[in-house]
Amino acid sequence: MNARVMAFKAYFPLIGIAILALFLLVIAPGALSSFRLNNLGKYCCYAIAGVGIGLAWGRGGMLVLGQGLFFGLGAYAMGMHLKLEAAGPDAVPDFMMNFGSGVLPAWWAPFRSGAFTIAAIVVIPALVALVLGLAVFKRRIKGAYFAILSQALTVAFGALLVSQIKYTGGQTGLNSLSTFFGYNLYDPVNKKMIYMITAVILIVMLLITFQLYRSRFGEVLIATRDQEERVRFLGYDPANIKVVAFVIAAIMASIGGAMFVPMAGLINPREVSALASIMLIAGVALGGRATLLGPAIGALVVGYGRTSLSEAYPDQWTYFLGAMFIIVILFIPNGLTSVIPKAWQALNRRRTDIKEVEAV
Amino acid sequence: MDVVISQTFTGASYGATLLLVALGLTLTFGQMGVINMAHGEFLMAGAYSAYMTQQLITNADISIIFALPFAFIVAGLLGLLLEVLVISRMYHRTLDTLLVTFGVSLVLQQAAKDIFGAQAKAVKAPSWLHGQIPIFGYRYPLTQLFILVLSIACVIGLTSLLKYTGFGRQIRATVQNRDLAETVGVSTRSIDRLTFFIGSGLAGVAGVAVTLITATESTMGQEYIIWAFLVVVAGGIGQIKGAVIAAFALGITRAFLTYWTDGSMAVVLTFLLVVVFLQVRPQGLFATRTRSLA
């Protein structure tokens, strides 16, 4: 294969992103009803978080079982802002009147500002991931330990959300939201706008990740996943590389969570639980953890499957999900997107075989 | 002072339950590097075994005596099945075993719901465990004392099995150096299977113990699995004495934090304490010394 073809092949993923963008930004808004488009938007939020998981887990080898934590941080930050918007400029959210003292807690107050909220959606999860990542990776805590710890923290976060009903609305979470930065949430035009913003964010995240994978950082990240000791011997600090990937994944999950709120119209602890985190992982595993587009597509598929199958067959859905985990991880660990090129190769090989036979 | 004693006992009871669950995990996680998320469902299977035993032997006083070995065998066989069908295909893919066994745990939970119904089942405690026993002025419930005794018995049993029997020696050899163990004629495959059987069986025993304090339902394993893993992580992988100390430390810490703050805050703080503890000892309390870099 000559150099030109190689260089061209490196841009193959961009074609994939372009096709996905065409589907999400042009075809879907035209073809789907407002309700279905809203659902697709929710799956896009999972996909945004999924792209981050692909980076941390697929490329970095860190099994981030607790992305629900970061999804939740972003979602609750957004939820708090929208809740304050719904309450009005000087009023207090309804649940605080019912369960709390009726006085807005000091740490809620800054979320009245939209700019602060947007900054918080990026900065808070980044800080949490930074501290946690440094604590874990600098001390060379094993991968399995990290997976368990991150899941444990998600469980703790969920328990905290449920118990601090005065501040978080408890089990019901933050609901009855009315506007999104001043735009009515129930106006179909605004709904479409929120969907478009989410879809554009997903495409942008894919492009950022595409660039990251091509960069030196992407190379070293893969090297760290495969041979951490050798990377250390070469003079890099694998902990720093892992922390960076983990922080980026956390920010992506948080942004996904933040956009989830206006589309779902609510956020509650169930959406950010350990099970929700595992669902995110399921999408990435199905799509292909180490590929660029696999995690996004997998998350869209699992989101769609969850809505359509779980409503029709709530019990069988669990079997289906469990079986999917077992089959995908056991037999196609590189995900569905890895099967297509392989099948294509196999097909081609057979063709050339036949040709060779004919030639003989 | 009363508070100190009562919280210590509450914590110790909780720690004893955790220890029962974690013992099996130390074996499977420590020896085979398998993160078995379905371990909690083996506990659930043990609890349902106790329920089924009581349907057959309606006298609660003696049914528990039959339930313990029955639950051990049921959970053990489930574990064996899992090992043979799934885990044996996934050596050296530690993180992937976590995800696969998570799928298994989903399936088992739903299966339990379909077989036994969504309603929680109650298992009657034997009459000889009714009442409390006063210790330092604290009225210690006999059921909790029973769990404590049971978990200590399991620790002693498992330790002596590992220490004094040929099978135990083979397990330890496999943990310390699998290749070398194989070279000197240990069939590591059958050792793996037996280890998994015993480890899972212990979860079943834990399940019977848990029926004394909570209702039996399909999701009950979820309550314990994360905590049990934290015990294994804090204690050091494959270390029974580490697991014992970590289980009681976690249980008692959580009990005191619950008293000082509230239930969920205690959960958060205990998790954070484990993270902080791992800063000091990244390998857990007791590390298995190996020469491998990873």
Side-chain angles (χ1 to χ4, degrees):
Chain A
M1 206 182 290
N2 65 37
R4 224 203 226 156
V5 177
M6 288 281 279
F8 179 69
K9 263 196 112 167
Y11 286 93
F12 260 21
L14 280 185
I15 300 172
I17 296 178
I19 295 172
L20 188 67
L22 186 74
F23 171 73
L24 288 178
L25 297 174
V26 181
I27 299 175
L32 295 178
S33 69
S34 176
F35 173 74
R36 290 194 175 278
L37 195 66
N38 195 48
N39 273 348
L40 181 63
K42 284 194 227 168
Y43 315 149
C44 283
C45 296
Y46 298 137
I48 294 170
V51 173
I53 294 175
L55 176 75
W57 179 38
R59 297 276 167 144
M62 294 165 273
L63 182 47
V64 282
L65 268 186
Q67 290 305 88
L69 169 65
F70 302 111
F71 194 86
L73 284 173
Y76 270 84
M78 179 64 89
M80 282 158 73
H81 177 64
L82 300 190
K83 192 77 194 161
L84 287 169
E85 264 192 5
D90 297 309
V92 172
D94 46 8
F95 70 87
M96 285 188 188
M97 303 299 286
N98 298 337
F99 305 114
S101 51
V103 181
L104 197 68
W107 58 274
W108 261 74
F111 285 93
R112 278 198 196 281
S113 147
F116 178 87
T117 306
I118 291 172
I121 288 166
V122 177
V123 173
I124 294 177
L127 283 179
V128 174
L130 183 71
V131 172
L132 186 65
L134 285 176
V136 171
F137 300 126
K138 280 285 179 192
R139 295 294 293 159
R140 301 189 198 173
I141 290 173
K142 279 187 197 159
Y145 284 26
F146 170 73
I148 291 163
L149 283 181
S150 58
Q151 192 175 22
L153 285 175
T154 310
V155 171
F157 179 63
L160 199 62
L161 286 177
V162 172
S163 73
Q164 301 298 312
I165 190 164
K166 281 181 287 192
Y167 307 117
T168 63
Q171 198 80 58
T172 33
L174 308 173
N175 55 12
S176 53
L177 309 170
S178 56
T179 55
F180 178 70
F181 291 86
Y183 293 95
N184 186 339
L185 269 182
Y186 300 97
D187 184 339
V189 179
N190 293 344
K191 276 193 142 168
K192 202 171 212 174
M193 174 195 74
I194 295 167
Y195 164 78
M196 290 299 259
I197 294 174
T198 313
V200 168
I201 291 177
L202 174 59
I203 301 298
V204 170
M205 291 302 162
L206 282 170
L207 289 173
I208 292 175
T209 315
F210 170 72
Q211 183 53 35
L212 278 176
Y213 285 177
R214 272 160 38 89
S215 70
R216 179 183 302 224
F217 168 77
E219 303 267 317
V220 182
L221 186 63
I222 292 180
T224 308
R225 176 192 70 189
D226 295 339
Q227 279 293 339
E228 188 166 339
E229 283 304 321
R230 272 187 219 171
V231 172
R232 189 172 286 126
F233 294 154
L234 285 171
Y236 294 96
D237 185 349
N240 291 345
I241 294 153
K242 284 179 165 182
V243 168
V244 170
F246 183 46
V247 168
I248 296 174
I251 294 174
M252 287 186 181
S254 174
I255 293 173
M259 291 312 295
F260 181 81
V261 178
M263 265 171 304
L266 57 90
I267 183 68
N268 59 42
R270 256 189 41 201
E271 301 287 346
V272 305
S273 62
L275 187 66
S277 314
I278 290 269
M279 293 291 292
L280 292 174
I281 291 277
V284 177
L286 178 72
R289 57 182 94 157
T291 58
L292 177 68
L293 284 166
I297 294 170
L300 292 176
V301 170
V302 168
Y304 176 74
R306 183 159 128 188
T307 325
S308 49
L309 285 176
S310 71
E311 273 159 19
Y313 317 97
D315 293 349
Q316 284 85 342
W317 160 243
T318 316
Y319 285 125
F320 181 78
L321 184 67
M324 193 195 81
F325 257 112
I326 300 168
I327 291 165
V328 168
I329 304 281
L330 204 53
F331 299 111
I332 29 175
N334 295 322
L336 285 183
T337 41
S338 74
V339 175
I340 298 161
K342 248 188 220 158
W344 181 248
Q345 264 175 13
L347 210 67
N348 273 346
R349 203 180 305 135
R350 184 174 281 169
R351 271 195 206 141
T352 44
D353 283 353
I354 294 166
K355 266 183 210 155
E356 276 163 15
V357 170
E358 280 170 353
V360 168
Chain B
M1 194 57 200
D2 283 356
V3 170
V4 173
I5 289 170
S6 75
Q7 292 308 307
T8 310
F9 275 115
T10 314
S13 317
Y14 185 64
T17 322
L18 278 186
L19 179 59
L20 269 180
V21 186
L23 267 185
L25 279 183
T26 12
L27 267 190
T28 52
F29 193 15
Q31 175 176 356
M32 297 153 71
V34 171
I35 307 181
N36 182 14
M37 294 301 276
H39 197 74
E41 276 58 48
F42 295 161
L43 177 144
M44 178 262 289
Y48 275 114
S49 306
Y51 170 74
M52 286 192 293
T53 318
Q54 204 157 70
Q55 299 304 103
L56 275 177
I57 307 167
T58 41
N59 186 348
D61 288 3
I62 49 170
S63 79
I64 191 168
I65 297 163
F66 291 95
L68 284 170
F70 180 55
F72 182 85
I73 291 167
V74 168
L77 285 179
L78 277 176
L80 194 62
L81 200 66
L82 179 70
E83 207 280 337
V84 172
L85 289 183
V86 180
I87 292 175
S88 58
R89 296 164 202 270
M90 317 198 46
Y91 278 125
H92 312 298
R93 286 166 63 189
T94 304
L95 292 181
D96 283 359
T97 60
L98 193 161
L99 296 173
V100 165
T101 52
F102 183 83
V104 173
S105 101
L106 283 180
V107 170
L108 288 178
Q109 275 179 41
Q110 188 61 42
K113 209 187 269 176
D114 286 349
I115 297 170
F116 296 100
Q119 198 84 33
K121 298 275 186 263
V123 179
K124 280 198 287 290
S127 61
W128 43 275
L129 284 181
H130 289 193
Q132 300 108 344
I133 181 169
I135 302 174
F136 301 120
Y138 174 68
R139 299 178 64 77
Y140 197 45
L142 276 174
T143 46
Q144 302 200 345
L145 185 70
F146 177 75
I147 294 175
L148 192 65
V149 171
L150 184 66
S151 73
I152 292 170
C154 283
V155 170
I156 294 172
L158 189 60
T159 321
S160 31
L161 179 87
L162 287 178
K163 212 163 183 179
Y164 301 117
T165 65
F167 167 61
R169 255 192 299 283
Q170 293 186 342
I171 289 186
R172 281 184 293 142
T174 313
V175 174
Q176 282 165 16
N177 194 326
R178 181 175 289 270
D179 294 338
L180 202 56
E182 214 156 302
T183 320
V184 296
V186 176
S187 165
T188 53
R189 279 301 299 128
S190 36
I191 290 295
D192 282 347
R193 291 206 186 110
L194 263 169
T195 315
F196 220 83
F197 177 76
I198 295 174
S200 311
L202 283 171
V205 172
V208 178
V210 168
T211 57
L212 295 174
I213 44 177
T214 54
T216 302
E217 53 190 333
S218 59
T219 54
M220 64 191 297
Q222 297 298 304
E223 183 78 15
Y224 295 96
I225 187 73
I226 303 269
W227 285 92
F229 267 117
L230 284 182
V231 166
V232 176
V233 165
I237 287 180
Q239 297 288 334
I240 291 177
K241 65 182 167 189
V244 174
I245 297 173
F248 286 112
L250 270 181
I252 292 172
T253 310
R254 196 177 112 155
F256 274 96
L257 287 172
T258 307
Y259 178 73
W260 286 323
T261 58
D262 60 83
S264 57
M265 210 54 199
V267 171
V268 178
L269 290 175
T270 318
F271 282 145
L272 290 178
L273 279 176
V274 174
V275 177
V276 173
F277 172 74
L278 287 178
Q279 295 304 297
V280 190
R281 294 193 82 92
Q283 309 284 315
L285 266 178
F286 301 104
T288 316
R289 282 181 218 289
T290 62
R291 283 173 181 270
S292 75
L293 286 166

